[in-house]
Amino acid sequence: MKERPILSSGPMVRAILEGRKTQTRRVVKLPHNNPLVAWEPTKFGGPEGGRTAAGDIVPEQGAIWHTRTGDCLISPHGQPRDRLWVRESMAATRDQAGIIVDWHYAAGGAKVPRMPNLRPEFNDAMAFAHLARKAVPSIDMPRWASRITLEVTGVRVERLHDIKEDDAKAEGCAPAWLDVDEETVNAYGAPTYRQGFARLWRDISGDESWDANPWVWVVGFRRVL
């Protein structure tokens, strides 16, 4: 079992804490786009799929391979039974004099715990004394400050637009219309989780990313901490 960090936005952190998010999609970073043939999803591991150097069976997981070059990629976000610790944004809490007295998670406002082995004469603010700013972006969160740990339950590869309604709901999205106009309402009727996911993806990554319909890692997980 390996442990890896994973970045998460405020709304998605809240969705995990509320038990609404059990999947995440991350763009596959392809090493090349050889025009001869194409990339296709496949599977890796399982009882007949190879073993580790220690002789353990590699859990079956999704992968992607190029049918011309034979290049095969597995998820950089872990395999089943691996752990992911969530990195999220934090913000400073200051007193009336503007002095930082502690730090809290930007999503929800809960207080960040004390740094392990922090000397008792120091207050909680000393944990981030080297960060002379009002907020700490998720990329800078240290492991000890993470309050959410996830266990990977499955990995597969698919095109972004192939997301199904149940999967979009598992992404923690709310039902919505992709584009709120009369034509959309007449064509699609009630808002859907899938359109809500598409709208969220466009808001975060841009219209071009959604329109490109890239291959994505679909990582299923359950919260263990």
Side-chain angles (χ1 to χ4, degrees), residues 89-93 102-112:
S89 299
M90 299 175 288
T93 302
D102 59 39
W103 290 80
H104 61 272
Y105 299 105
K111 186 177 178 180
V112 177

Side-chain angles (χ1 to χ4, degrees), residues 84-189:
L84 302 172
W85 59 274
V86 174
R87 276 179 157 162
E88 57 179 298
S89 299
M90 299 175 288
T93 302
R94 299 173 182 266
D95 61 16
Q96 293 182 342
I99 298 174
I100 296 176
V101 293
D102 59 39
W103 290 80
H104 61 272
Y105 299 105
K111 186 177 178 180
V112 177
R114 292 175 61 87
M115 176 188 287
N117 303 318
L118 186 66
R119 288 165 55 185
E121 61 265 32
F122 294 142
N123 62 28
D124 294 347
M126 294 300 297
F128 295 99
H130 64 294
L131 298 172
R133 47 190 169 182
K134 296 180 180 179
V136 178
S138 56
I139 190 66
D140 288 335
M141 171 178 272
R143 174 67 182 95
W144 63 263
S146 177
R147 58 175 168 167
I148 302 174
T149 301
L150 311 171
E151 180 181 283
V152 177
T153 57
V155 179
R156 68 177 189 271
V157 179
E158 66 184 26
R159 288 287 189 180
L160 180 61
H161 291 185
D162 289 341
I163 188 171
K164 303 295 190 295
E165 185 74 356
D166 287 347
D167 289 330
K169 183 177 181 180
E171 281 275 357
C173 300
W177 284 294
L178 182 56
D179 295 295
V180 183
D181 55 38
E182 184 176 352
E183 181 179 352
T184 300
V185 173
N186 291 335
Y188 295 101

